[in-house]
């Protein structure tokens, strides 16, 4: 790479993404609802058949069947009495049909009261629009270290 090479900014501005933003925010809201109600099928509903997900402890799951099995196990097990609130931090459209989004998470009580003062996790979503509908093709969850 020469000293004069300028790295591109990749961001789609060719279409109005207002409806796309709403659809992507709804996908993340659906995951929150599914988590808080222990609904593995709902949690998996917006993933592509070949989705790849890395959970917060670094385990990779590939394919909707593997993701559904992991969601069933987690939501019936160690996540059963856990509750969250998600916040969409940003959505960037790389192409008209490809977006990335960041989601921040905090633990809550069953009643929705915040437990975490700061965000406890960040997730990166890779989303694709196929046949007029947005799908999650990949997600990477990362725990955010908390000050002690």
């Amino acid at each position: 790479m020469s000293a004069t090479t300028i790295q591109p900014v990749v961001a789609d501005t060719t279409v109005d993404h207002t409806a796309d933003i709403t659809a992507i925010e709804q996908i993340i809201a659906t995951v929150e609802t599914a988590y808080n109600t222990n609904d593995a099928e709902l949690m998996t509903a917006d993933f592509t058949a070949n989705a790849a997900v890395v959970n917060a402890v670094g385990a990779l799951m590939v394919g909707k069947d593997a993701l559904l099995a992991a969601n069933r196990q987690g939501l019936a097990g160690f996540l059963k009495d856990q509750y969250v609130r998600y916040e969409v931090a940003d959505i960037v459209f790389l192409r008209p049909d490809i977006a990335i989004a960041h989601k921040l998470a905090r633990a809550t009580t069953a009643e929705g009261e915040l437990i975490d003062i700061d965000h406890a996790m960040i997730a990166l979503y890779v989303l694709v629009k196929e046949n007029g509908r947005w799908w999650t093709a990949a997600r990477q969850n990362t725990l955010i270290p908390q000050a002690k």
Side-chain angles (χ1 to χ4, degrees), residues 108-122:
T108 70
T109 65
E111 295 75 31
E113 296 175 30
L114 288 175
I115 295 171
D116 291 324
I117 295 171
D118 296 315
H119 296 106
M121 188 195 71
I122 186 167

Side-chain angles (χ1 to χ4, degrees), residues 94-108:
L94 303 177
R95 303 280 187 257
D97 60 346
I98 300 173
I100 58 173
H102 287 96
K103 165 186 86 179
L104 299 165
R106 292 183 185 174
T108 70

Side-chain angles (χ1 to χ4, degrees), residues 13-66:
T13 58
T14 64
V15 297
D16 178 3
H17 287 291
T18 303
D20 298 322
I21 291 167
T22 299
I24 291 168
E25 288 173 339
Q26 184 56 56
I27 286 172
I28 293 171
T30 297
V31 174
E32 178 181 317
T33 297
Y35 188 107
N36 290 335
T37 60
N38 298 316
D39 188 335
E41 286 75 16
L42 182 62
M43 184 175 277
T44 311
D46 292 316
F47 284 89
T48 62
N50 62 335
V53 173
V54 176
N55 68 18
V57 295
L60 172 64
M61 294 149 289
V62 178
K64 199 165 183 178
D65 292 340

